Amino acid sequence: MYVPNLASAQPARPDTTGRDSTARALPTMQVTASAVATDARRVAQPTAQLGGAALRRSQGASLGETLEQIPGIRSLSMTTGIGKPVIRGLTNNRVVTLANGQRTETQQWGHDHSPNVESADAERLEIVKGPASVLYGSDALGGVVNVVRRALPRAEGEAWLLRGRMALAWNSANQAPSATLVGEGARGAFGWRLSGTGRRAQDLRTPTGPLFNTGNVTGYLEGNTGWHGTGRDIEITGSTRDETIRIADDPVTAPGYDGHQRIRTHRITLESNLRGDTQRLQLQAGWEENRRAEFDDATSAQVALGLASRTFTSFAHWHHAPWQGFTGVVGTAAQLTQFRTFGQHTLIPDSRTSAIGLYLLEQRTMGDWSLSAGARHDWRALSTPGNTILALDRTARQFRAMTGTVGAVYRAESPLSLALNVARGFRAPSASDLFANGFHEGTRAFEIGRSDLRVESSLNTDVGLRLRTSAVSGELTGYVNRIRDYIYLAPVGQPGRALDSLQVRQGHARLVGAEAAVAVAMGRNVTLQSTADAVHASNTSDGSVLPFVPPLRVTSTMRWEERTQGHMPGRSLSLTAEWNARQTRIFRDDFAPAAWTAVHASAGVSRLTPRGLLHIDLSVRNLLDARYRDFMSRYKEFADAAGRTLVLRLSADL
């Protein structure tokens, strides 16, 4: 279960002592929300982080599954390898995912396309809730998730440093072993790392039996090396990920269906920093290739639908010297995506998308007030050579957007502080939104685009109360997010369990929600933690509701943690009750399962060995083997969620 870092929930410096974070930790740096080093308590934008023991215990087969216990975040799940983060009721192209700051483009074709980012050896996950288009441009309408890798090691003098890590796990729900092995070293300012992760899952087991065709196999390999000098550094990273994901279908409408996806993703990132006494120039260039092939059945060698993209990204951030009390960043970012289709079916045409953005984000402290403001302008172009099968002529579209943010924190370092943030975000229509006209194997539906779509734009207001004392940490945040020209897929034709056709439409939307989290130190190393989150989403153009909006959720956790001498981690026990309400407001012909409650338990032990820390974690999800269906599961109409699940993890420094 996620342990909220409630006072500011910002990324902290790496914990070199090996200590786990607690609810009263005081992080002193943040990266994803402001792009400048700052006292995290002074950032008005609502954020969260997952690291240390909490990240170790939460690791799942997908990014959405790993994050879903954080207040305000859920996972839109489909089989055991697809889990898309849903932030405050928004997902798909409205959430940007970053691989250590590099923008990824692997989930833009629909809800069955998960972010292909690996977090097994990440130092932490950083989450920005709400619009963040000032720093990240199009698609950062609902939020940002950044998977932050560990810093490369450094060695003193001319001595060689060599070390390693391993993490092994077993999940009983799908008989899934997984392993991560890491080797790294350094000599002086030169460091390197090689890491690999593999996992294999069988069909998901539910209280009523296995769910056919839900297994997957994943392999991931990453290497990075770099030189870190006093005034400059340079680092290069390369990774490759190969996944085979099996997709179940309703046994009533598609009996015996055994189709699957084969996904390959390659990335290269080059980053450099040039530092002066009070300023820094940060440069990054990235390349990503994603190839996704969908097959009709388990034995077919013929690709039914193929989607392939190559994306080049770059940015330059000038973290300027303090001026008239202001600190901040001036930057520019550029992106080029070349997309092509292959296979038997044609869903969307080949296309080319280019984008450039210019932005400024500044912060200043004035007495009890910590202020921030920023602005950005984006130019975006999308063109297609046309497609005879889709009856589409050569077409080009141009999009522009102006976004901004204003925030304030009153008495940031006091026990009780007030935060206010107003931000505008945007999302330009994708090729899939504009030109789709074919059967999508992943969604099992015929999708129809709309070529005259306008840019989505949002105006989001957050108000939050933050409490921090020696015994209590907490945060209560309310928000209203108004979205003009909201793009969505709506079923057309006859209603029923099989959605024969989905058509892109556009209207206005409003999302109103709240998140609460509190952690209370009860004495004798016992902490009581509770969270709650809810969002009410409406299509204000026609009075309907929005798709994929999660219901009210409440959790409560009692946790005991033992600390050894030197504050090293020792033993821990926890018991969690999680309640999910029934979603009474559903989109069109969607299905709303009954409310459900599940109990989770965990135990862990950590020991310092001559080689480093050893962690053994045992957790039991759905301890009472409750039978339920999750509203955020794409299988909720015909399959239960996993039953009692035992997860055993062993991680150690080598």
Side-chain angles (χ1 to χ4, degrees):
M1 174 61 75
Y2 167 67
V3 179
N5 191 348
L6 301 173
S8 60
Q10 300 292 325
R13 291 190 177 97
D15 188 348
T16 58
T17 66
R19 292 178 289 182
D20 292 345
S21 61
T22 71
R24 297 179 298 283
L26 302 178
T28 56
M29 289 188 68
Q30 79 82 33
V31 180
T32 303
S34 72
V36 294
T38 185
D39 185 334
R41 294 169 294 184
R42 298 185 180 278
V43 178
Q45 178 96 41
T47 55
Q49 74 157 334
L50 191 63
L55 175 57
R56 192 176 68 243
R57 291 189 292 263
S58 300
Q59 280 292 343
S62 66
L63 188 61
E65 182 183 345
T66 301
L67 292 169
E68 65 180 342
Q69 296 303 316
I70 297 176
I73 301 180
R74 306 292 178 88
S75 176
L76 181 61
S77 63
M78 186 174 186
T79 197
T80 54
I82 296 176
K84 298 167 71 69
V86 181
I87 302 180
R88 294 178 165 183
L90 298 175
T91 187
N92 290 341
N93 282 20
R94 298 180 183 92
V95 174
V96 169
T97 57
L98 308 172
N100 208 60
Q102 179 184 352
R103 185 185 178 107
T104 71
E105 294 289 312
T106 59
Q107 64 167 336
Q108 69 268 45
W109 297 302
H111 58 253
D112 61 314
H113 296 190
S114 186
N116 304 125
V117 182
E118 184 59 57
S119 62
D121 191 49
E123 180 187 61
R124 63 186 183 271
L125 307 182
E126 301 174 353
I127 304 96
V128 180
K129 302 178 185 179
S133 288
V134 166
L135 285 177
Y136 299 103
S138 180
D139 302 358
L141 195 88
V144 177
V145 178
N146 189 11
V147 180
V148 181
R149 79 171 68 92
R150 302 169 191 265
L152 282 175
R154 298 183 64 178
E156 297 295 333
E158 296 299 316
W160 279 96
L161 170 67
L162 294 173
R163 64 191 184 195
R165 293 183 299 278
M166 74 168 185
L168 308 175
W170 170 264
N171 187 312
S172 69
N174 41 28
Q175 302 294 294
S178 64
T180 297
L181 297 175
V182 182
E184 60 185 13
R187 185 175 185 182
F190 173 78
W192 61 269
R193 177 184 299 116
L194 181 66
S195 65
T197 296
R199 59 177 64 91
R200 185 183 188 93
Q202 305 298 323
D203 287 344
L204 181 69
R205 286 161 170 76
T206 74
T208 55
L211 179 56
F212 176 66
N213 205 48
T214 51
N216 67 69
V217 179
T218 301
Y220 179 79
L221 184 66
E222 178 181 286
N224 63 313
T225 186
W227 179 84
H228 292 256
T230 303
R232 67 192 66 181
D233 59 61
I234 186 168
E235 190 170 318
I236 185 169
T237 303
S239 67
T240 181
R241 183 185 179 97
D242 195 328
E243 299 175 272
T244 298
I245 300 178
R246 303 197 176 278
I247 307 292
D249 204 346
D250 191 333
V252 173
T253 60
Y257 175 75
D258 59 355
H260 66 281
Q261 297 181 0
R262 179 76 184 273
I263 308 163
R264 293 175 179 171
T265 306
H266 312 295
R267 290 191 189 95
I268 298 176
T269 313
L270 179 65
E271 184 168 342
S272 180
N273 288 272
L274 306 175
R275 292 180 291 273
D277 292 338
T278 57
Q279 56 189 333
R280 174 168 63 98
L281 177 63
Q282 180 185 12
L283 306 171
Q284 187 190 92
W287 170 84
E288 176 188 81
E289 181 179 67
N290 181 250
R291 185 183 188 275
R292 183 180 301 264
E294 301 179 356
F295 299 87
D296 288 329
D297 57 67
T299 59
S300 175
Q302 180 67 48
V303 176
L305 175 65
L307 308 169
S309 67
R310 289 182 177 177
T311 300
F312 303 86
T313 57
S314 63
F315 68 74
H317 286 166
W318 174 44
H319 306 262
H320 64 76
W323 177 79
Q324 300 293 319
F326 289 93
T327 59
V329 61
V330 179
T332 181
Q335 179 179 333
L336 172 65
T337 299
Q338 296 173 317
F339 171 81
R340 67 178 180 88
T341 63
F342 58 96
Q344 292 178 303
H345 306 315
T346 300
L347 175 63
I348 53 179
D350 296 352
S351 65
R352 183 180 187 271
T353 304
S354 59
I356 187 168
L358 302 174
Y359 45 94
L360 168 72
L361 183 61
E362 297 293 321
Q363 297 174 216
R364 183 174 182 178
T365 299
M366 300 177 62
D368 287 334
W369 292 92
S370 299
L371 308 176
S372 60
R376 176 177 176 132
H377 193 80
D378 280 271
W379 297 264
R380 194 173 180 94
L382 189 155
S383 62
T384 173
N387 187 283
T388 56
I389 296 176
L390 302 178
L392 178 67
D393 296 329
R394 179 185 295 271
T395 306
R397 293 289 309 272
Q398 306 286 330
F399 306 102
R400 291 188 178 187
M402 188 75 184
T403 53
T405 182
V406 177
V409 181
Y410 178 64
R411 304 190 69 180
E413 298 182 8
S414 301
L416 184 64
S417 60
L418 173 67
L420 171 67
N421 195 75
V422 180
R424 179 173 290 278
F426 86 100
R427 180 175 86 87
S430 68
S432 180
D433 297 325
L434 295 165
F435 308 124
N437 189 21
F439 186 77
H440 191 172
E441 189 70 28
T443 60
R444 306 293 296 154
F446 194 95
E447 297 184 3
I448 306 168
R450 178 175 165 177
S451 61
D452 63 345
L453 294 174
R454 299 174 296 276
V455 170
E456 285 187 5
S457 61
S458 71
L459 183 64
N460 182 86
T461 302
D462 280 280
V463 179
L465 283 173
R466 302 169 180 176
L467 174 66
R468 188 205 311 268
T469 69
S470 59
V472 181
S473 293
E475 185 168 352
L476 174 63
T477 302
Y479 60 89
V480 178
N481 194 1
R482 299 178 184 273
I483 305 176
R484 291 186 57 83
D485 299 317
Y486 179 88
I487 299 169
Y488 61 99
L489 278 168
V492 294
Q494 295 297 319
R497 295 183 72 180
L499 297 179
D500 294 331
S501 296
L502 297 170
Q503 188 172 42
V504 173
R505 295 181 180 176
Q506 196 160 38
H508 302 326
R510 181 179 64 241
L511 297 96
V512 181
E515 300 150 6
V518 63
V520 181
M522 307 293 290
R524 292 185 176 272
N525 301 322
V526 175
T527 303
L528 177 63
Q529 303 160 0
S530 294
T531 70
D533 58 84
V535 57
H536 182 282
S538 301
N539 184 329
T540 57
S541 297
D542 62 11
S544 65
V545 302
L546 304 186
F548 312 133
V549 176
L552 169 66
R553 176 181 61 178
V554 179
T555 72
S556 186
T557 300
M558 182 71 75
R559 184 168 188 83
W560 171 79
E561 287 186 292
E562 174 193 61
R563 295 283 179 174
T564 62
Q565 289 186 352
H567 298 284
M568 299 300 293
R571 296 172 296 175
S572 65
L573 295 170
S574 73
L575 186 67
T576 299
E578 176 183 356
W579 177 74
N580 285 254
R582 181 177 185 179
Q583 178 56 280
T584 58
R585 306 180 72 252
I586 61 173
F587 176 71
R588 305 296 171 90
D589 300 315
D590 202 356
F591 168 70
W596 56 271
T597 301
V599 177
H600 318 300
S602 70
V605 59
S606 299
R607 290 290 182 266
L608 183 62
T609 72
R611 296 293 300 175
L613 280 172
L614 169 68
H615 304 283
I616 302 174
D617 296 289
L618 177 65
S619 61
V620 183
R621 299 281 300 173
N622 193 6
L623 179 66
L624 303 181
D625 202 29
R627 182 181 174 184
Y628 67 90
R629 297 185 180 185
D630 192 338
F631 180 77
M632 301 305 290
S633 169
R634 298 296 293 164
Y635 295 157
K636 61 192 174 187
E637 291 192 43
F638 58 88
D640 293 335
R644 183 184 297 112
T645 301
L646 177 69
V647 182
L648 178 64
R649 294 184 177 88
L650 170 67
S651 55
D653 295 329
L654 302 175

